[in-house]
Amino acid sequence: MKSKLCALALLCGVGVCQAAADPTLSAWNDTAAKTAIEQWVGHATTPGDPAFIPQKQRYVVFDNDGTLWPEAPVTFQLQFALDELKRLAPAHPEWQSDPLISAALKNDIKTLAASGSKGLFKLVALTHSNMTTEEFTQRVTDWVSTQKHARFGCGYDRLGYLPMRQLLDYLRQNGFKTWIISGGGVDFMRVLAEKMYDIPPEQVVGSFSLSEFSLTDNGTQLRKTMNGAFYDDAAAKPVAIHLFMGHRPVAAFGNSDGDVPMLQYTSANPDVKTFGLLVHHTDSQREYAYDAHPPASGTLVNGLTLAGKYGWTIVDMKKDWKTVFDPALCPGNGTVLTTTTP
Amino acid sequence: MKSKLCALALLCGVGVCQAAADPTLSAWNDTAAKTAIEQWVGHATTPGDPAFIPQKQRYVVFDNDGTLWPEAPVTFQLQFALDELKRLAPAHPEWQSDPLISAALKNDIKTLAASGSKGLFKLVALTHSNMTTEEFTQRVTDWVSTQKHARFGCGYDRLGYLPMRQLLDYLRQNGFKTWIISGGGVDFMRVLAEKMYDIPPEQVVGSFSLSEFSLTDNGTQLRKTMNGAFYDDAAAKPVAIHLFMGHRPVAAFGNSDGDVPMLQYTSANPDVKTFGLLVHHTDSQREYAYDAHPPASGTLVNGLTLAGKYGWTIVDMKKDWKTVFDPALCPGNGTVLTTTTP
């Protein structure tokens, strides 16, 4: 029976039989976190094992900001919005008299943050709506191809965490379908997710608002609006998973309290032995160290408290990751380029 | 080069090289509609052909009501809502004094329809919200396992059009990813789509409203609400395609004017030679005949007018389909069981 399954696995290109000894997680140190991942995958993919999960149920969900790429000192998307605001400002002198927009133009994140969701919504409206979906894609593409992360000195599309990219590959090799469930905007992330993570647009779920369809002289257009805005964070993540993915996940990977409901929803899956993981940012040398008082977003307090109850694995970035960024993509590899504090 | 590609096609189980002569559309007569489908698929899957479409772009979208299954005399989902209302009515004596609900309980579709979206929204709210997502799935499952279509005498899950099920298979065999984009409710359709069409939940897009997440004593729950209700018809279909699928389709299949924007959006795809098709219900003997004055939904007037301009294929159900329903699933096979008029 086993040899037949191995043959099948080879035929399908799925490394079922070598799951527990897979060498592809080379950016992980040989610590408990890596062992926990490999053991769970091993059981989940071994037919006959009490924890075996049929391939049709192997849906796994990943947060993005702080889980697959950095979120400090501000999220990539907030940086994009701030840069766009500056790019567009010369054509909008009226923005100067708006205290919130004026603060954003001066990089005064504190004032912006103090305004709560109001300021953020305004900033997003000015930079993420009132253009076609194609125009928006082009703007993100242009931004990524010209801007670099201030601390790491590399393009944003080069800063996916290598251990997590390997984990995505490893899970896919074992028959899991990998999804992003993020507070980030879906149209923003989809420009980058396929290239960076090999995750196609339809498996990228995030905050969204509705576009508007119309006929044009030579075709059709979808124009981005702020209508029906949905912020995909915290308790909204399980809602989005149900709406977009339509399956209960068997594993969930996050890094902040905003991911806790998604992990709880996953852990409560009645059908299978699930897996939950939280990336703890403990590495001020190679990346950032924060939890209770994050630089911008990403508080991790409840998650650390609840991990024991739910059996979630905590990744200590400093101890568990051999490498943070892919040296082939970002030669600095997380070495401090400007400052160690966010 | 060709033999290498054929070998590759065989390895992947994709019949690229036999696309134009595929025998699997056996429920289609050898008329222009079938030829148009096979020719387009043949070109789209032949490397080097000017109309070749790389497999990564092969996303195709199907309407459901009236395209994959019947929508007369009322849609399956409206029938489910009416049946649920009756099942639940004994516990809700107050419903009797509500003119719209009282009309629905008496099968007075005319009064319900005359109220516009108001009546329908009320009916949906009473039968599709205020329960967990699992409870709703169970209700649909129970309904399908006990109820039969009044005219065809078979369970609703046996009434997928055989030619269209074959078309879905044929397209998938040729490397296309098949999606449903329907006015039907996403939670309702997902209970049936995998079994009937081999389309997984995440590729079923429809009308939706948001659920609410909470912790329970022994886990979590998602409770269906009417918040953020999105009606996925007409101009909303391209919006939903962009939001859920994140690709511009290369082919679209529908049957009513509510599908026209989806077909226009597809036809305006700047990257490829696209395909559009409208099922015209012309068969009062085996199914129903309607367009301008449909029994409940599904007006097809603009679509017929625009077909020439856009080069859409019109399927004349009576002439182009050898079989309507799968005789193995519904032995009546669309023979008139009660009446020929809806």
Side-chain angles (χ1 to χ4, degrees), chain B residues 2 8 14-15 19 45 95 108 114 120 134-135 150 162 167 184 187 207-209 244-245 249 259 274 305:
Chain B
K2 198 177 172 201
L8 188 69
V14 179
T45 56
W95 287 357
D108 178 0
L120 196 66
E134 286 88 355
E135 281 164 2
L162 182 59
L167 179 55
D187 286 340
S207 296
F208 65 82
S209 48
F244 284 79
M245 195 167 89
D259 300 318
T274 60
T305 309

Side-chain angles (χ1 to χ4, degrees), chain B residues 77-196:
Chain B
Q77 192 173 0
L78 178 52
Q79 190 60 56
F80 163 74
L82 294 170
D83 290 346
E84 279 292 281
L85 207 66
K86 280 171 203 137
R87 188 180 68 78
L88 297 165
H92 297 276
E94 75 279 10
W95 287 357
Q96 302 295 339
S97 56
D98 183 312
L100 283 177
I101 302 309
S102 161
L105 285 168
K106 289 179 205 135
N107 285 333
D108 178 0
I109 307 293
K110 223 172 184 174
T111 299
L112 198 66
S115 78
S117 58
K118 198 183 143 198
L120 196 66
F121 192 85
K122 195 178 251 183
L123 181 59
V124 170
L126 292 175
T127 55
H128 288 62
S129 73
N130 204 25
M131 77 278 285
T132 67
T133 53
E134 286 88 355
E135 281 164 2
F136 181 75
T137 297
Q138 191 57 53
R139 288 182 185 194
V140 177
T141 305
D142 291 348
W143 176 77
V144 169
S145 65
T146 54
Q147 301 299 314
K148 289 181 174 175
H149 191 280
R151 177 168 164 201
F152 303 118
C154 297
Y156 290 93
D157 53 349
R158 293 163 171 266
L159 291 170
Y161 299 133
L162 182 59
M164 297 306 280
R165 285 176 45 219
Q166 290 181 343
L167 179 55
L168 288 168
D169 285 339
Y170 172 67
L171 288 166
R172 285 188 292 252
Q173 282 158 16
N174 282 285
F176 292 87
K177 216 163 189 175
T178 53
W179 286 65
I180 289 175
I181 310 292
S182 168
V186 67
D187 286 340
F188 179 83
M189 292 186 293
R190 283 176 178 172
V191 180
L192 299 163
E194 189 143 29
K195 183 184 165 192
M196 291 178 69

